Amino acid sequence: MKCFAGQKNTESELEKSNLKNLKESISKKERRSKMYKIIFITCLSIINIFSFIQCGSLLGRAGIMYTTTHNNFRDQQRATGLVRMTNGFSVVTPDSGVGSTHGSCAFMDTCISVSGAIDLRETNTIFLQADLILDHGVTFSSGGNIYGYDRALILNGDLTVPDGKIIHTGGRIVIDGNGHKLILGNSAQLFVDTDATLTLRNLVLQNTRNQPGHPAVQCASSASKLCLDDVELALADDFYFNRGQMFVQNDVAVTGTSAFVYRSCQPSNILADSTFYFDLETTLDFRPSTTGIPNLRAKDLLILQDATSQLYMNGCSLKTTMTGMRLMKGQLIFDNKVTITSAAQLQLKSMGTWITQDYGYMVRATNWSPDGRYLAIGGNTPTSGKELQIYSFSGTSLTLVASLDYGTDPNSEVRSVNWSPDGRYLAIGGAYPTSGNEIQIYKFDGSSLTFLTSQEYGTFVYSVNWSPDGRYLAVGGAYPTSGNEIQIYKFDGSSLTFLTSQEYGTFVYSVNWSPDGRYLAVGGHLPTSGNELQVYSFNGYVLTLVASKIYGNQLRSVNWSPDGRYLAIGGDHASAIIDDLQIYNFNGSSLVLIASKHLTTNIVTFVRWSPDGYYLVATCVNGVSDKTIQIYKFESSSLTLAASQYLSASGAWSADWRADGKYLAIGCLDPYPGHDELEVYTLQYGPEIYTQAPSNSIVFGNSALGSDYDLNVRVLAGAQVTVDGLLNNDNVN
């Protein structure tokens, strides 16, 4: 029994051993099989990923697709489904950017996040078809475009836009910060296109340094909208809101030691149950760029939607110009020490000192870059042989940073130069260029000009002007190849595409877009209709004549006021009794003359409104005893000479205000001793002598509309309010 038992035990142990070995063998085979499957699937995935990377599109439909390499999207390619990009992506042109004819667009329809750098090559676009999640540390290494409708960039960490880079937004885009920071580097910018809405939500917007004409957030036109929803504006420099509409939703706080400067001519709203809060040492500077004093419309541009809307001033300053400010319906709360100034406006006293630059013969065109750091000029017969010149400006000196030949013909000349609204491109037009293409577009990087594209016009291009959003270029001249003197081109960042044209007659000397981009003013000589001044509406495709006026002879310059309500014109009259400087009111369908001035010699070469709309400069061809530069103050329906300067018996031919209104560039021919063809004047301002009316000061409420338009003003315990100027309490109760 013992032997049998021992034998059974031995057999049992052997079975167990064999079973164990069998299981191990099966397990090894299964593991081996699984491993082969994993290797096979991995290889397939690698092949697929490699294939997708090569072709650009990422299609995560069957499962999560990971990419560990930087992906390049070409035009019309996409990321769809469960795609995780761990090393960023670029949107490149179909031929890798060499000689490309248009910008590329990549479609984002993925619900998984992106890490790393995003490179849109300055002109390319991502179109959001779903919310795009950006991980911590994502940066836009270059500028570009983000378009979409009711889609969001969702931040899982801080997002940085580097120095000098510009992100254009179109459609209806949300940047949802999840409490993180959106950091804009030095002169970096978010640019909201025409008819677009940008919503900044639940984030801290931190700017570094911006200029009045190149703010941290730039709305292209009055049809652009910026919505701030639970946002802190942590300002390291003044924040200029120059145009468009703004909406304050929930709690929006301004912090730091800088000013929020409201210059838009459009109304903005503090919505219901929302607070616009100004923290210690900040400033709300309310100075809409509206034309004429007093302007009853301008003071009503900050709207508190209802009784739950709040403007909260905590240890800060509130400043307005002589135009004033009226607050109604909601609540104005003062906490700690608050300073109120209702007359923070200075009057132009003189043209002051000037900086000169020798050009050679004649400067016909001058134009400041939007940020005011550079001045582009053009003309003919320069000393250096370079018709186009770009100078950097320090406030006290001009330094040549870039130049180029427009043409080698002795008669070649640049007649017009115009920076794009974002300052990245320069359009020039003239006569007798070397290439034969009179319209030329260059890209400028702060130190050099790079040729992008050109178009043949015919003979003379006298005027080029970008639309407010930089998408269209208007051109006017004489003897075009097509026979139509007024021409419109579409610009995509690298090329010009002809859109439409209109016959004028013979010479078009000046074209100028209205601030909202809806109208184009045209002036010239010998028009077919007999009306030298013409205003066209533009719908993105065609021009339609809506209004016109007889000027009488050569209409050389047209310019819209910053609020688009007025059109200033100047030219050369054959009659000595007709006023050569004229201002028209435009209501969208008709022109009404409301002010004019006779400038002695009947030749006005150029007119330009100041950025704030209060002043108008006219350059003239005058005799020795007359002033070739004249600056007028515009008040409702009158022009009053504010400052003047004699510069040249042969005349001044161009002028441009810097965006801050502190400097005026003038181009002339044959200046008198001590001057040169290019002059930059430092304008001198002093105390305003205009008497402010109580109705045009800071006004609380509007009793004419009833008690629903009262303003609830609360001064909290311990607060101190210091007033400089006039306050008008116009409440029913």
Side-chain angles (χ1 to χ4, degrees), residues 184-511:
L184 302 179
N186 188 7
S187 294
Q189 185 181 74
L190 300 175
F191 192 102
V192 187
D193 288 348
T194 295
D195 297 319
T197 300
L198 172 63
T199 298
L200 302 179
R201 177 179 297 153
N202 193 19
L203 58 78
V204 177
L205 180 66
Q206 184 176 304
N207 73 334
T208 305
R209 178 163 176 76
N210 296 92
Q211 295 78 27
H214 188 84
V217 181
Q218 174 79 296
C219 287
S221 74
S222 58
S224 307
K225 297 178 176 64
L226 173 66
C227 181
L228 303 175
D229 183 357
D230 274 332
V231 168
E232 178 187 346
L233 300 177
L235 304 184
D237 197 4
D238 290 350
F239 186 104
Y240 282 82
F241 190 74
N242 290 335
R243 58 183 66 93
Q245 285 186 281
M246 180 182 68
F247 298 87
V248 172
Q249 188 168 359
N250 295 312
D251 293 328
V252 174
V254 177
T255 64
T257 57
S258 298
F260 184 99
V261 185
Y262 192 92
R263 291 174 64 172
S264 176
C265 305
Q266 300 301 313
S268 290
N269 294 267
I270 302 176
L271 301 180
D273 297 311
S274 300
T275 300
F276 199 12
Y277 173 87
F278 284 81
D279 202 12
L280 300 170
E281 299 186 69
T282 61
T283 300
L284 170 56
D285 191 343
F286 186 77
R287 52 178 64 244
S289 298
T290 52
T291 316
I293 302 173
N295 192 318
L296 297 178
R297 172 179 172 271
K299 71 176 182 228
D300 293 325
L301 294 180
L302 186 59
I303 300 170
L304 283 73
Q305 189 174 49
D306 65 20
T308 64
S309 306
Q310 293 185 346
L311 178 60
Y312 198 123
M313 312 298 294
N314 178 26
C316 56
S317 298
L318 171 61
K319 295 182 179 180
T320 72
T321 65
M322 303 290 277
T323 296
M325 179 185 199
R326 178 161 53 196
L327 299 171
M328 300 174 289
K329 290 188 176 182
Q331 303 178 58
L332 176 61
I333 302 173
F334 295 117
D335 196 1
N336 292 308
K337 184 177 180 179
V338 177
T339 300
I340 299 177
T341 304
S342 66
Q345 180 171 313
L346 296 176
Q347 183 184 50
L348 179 66
K349 299 297 184 181
S350 72
M351 294 186 63
T353 59
W354 59 84
I355 302 163
T356 67
Q357 183 66 47
D358 177 38
Y359 179 79
Y361 179 62
M362 184 178 189
V363 173
R364 285 191 174 272
T366 55
N367 192 224
W368 290 99
S369 61
D371 61 10
R373 298 166 61 193
Y374 302 99
L375 179 63
I377 67 171
N380 62 319
T381 321
T383 303
S384 64
K386 306 288 187 180
E387 288 87 3
L388 177 65
Q389 299 179 12
I390 297 179
Y391 292 85
S392 65
F393 181 64
S394 67
T396 57
S397 64
L398 291 161
T399 303
L400 184 67
V401 295
S403 62
L404 57 85
D405 285 326
Y406 181 71
T408 55
D409 188 299
N411 295 314
S412 64
E413 60 180 347
V414 171
R415 282 295 191 106
S416 182
V417 296
N418 191 226
W419 293 95
S420 63
D422 60 13
R424 294 190 295 179
Y425 308 103
L426 189 67
I428 65 174
Y432 308 115
T434 300
S435 66
N437 290 326
E438 293 82 7
I439 309 165
Q440 299 179 10
I441 308 295
Y442 291 85
K443 184 177 181 180
F444 181 66
D445 62 5
S447 60
S448 62
L449 289 160
T450 302
F451 174 78
L452 288 182
T453 188
S454 61
Q455 286 285 332
E456 181 182 358
Y457 179 83
T459 304
F460 296 96
V461 169
Y462 290 124
S463 182
V464 292
N465 188 235
W466 294 100
S467 62
D469 58 5
R471 296 169 61 189
Y472 304 101
L473 184 71
V475 179
Y479 309 117
T481 303
S482 68
N484 289 330
E485 292 82 6
I486 308 166
Q487 299 181 7
I488 307 294
Y489 294 85
K490 187 173 183 179
F491 181 66
D492 64 4
S494 59
S495 62
L496 289 167
T497 303
F498 174 78
L499 278 185
T500 187
S501 63
Q502 282 287 328
E503 181 185 359
Y504 179 83
T506 305
F507 300 94
V508 169
Y509 287 131
S510 181
V511 292

Side-chain angles (χ1 to χ4, degrees), residues 29-46:
K29 287 181 180 179
E30 287 179 346
R31 288 200 301 269
R32 197 177 297 118
S33 176
K34 287 181 180 179
M35 183 176 69
Y36 290 152
K37 287 181 181 179
I38 291 170
I39 292 172
F40 178 73
I41 292 171
T42 302
C43 289
L44 272 181
S45 298
I46 291 172

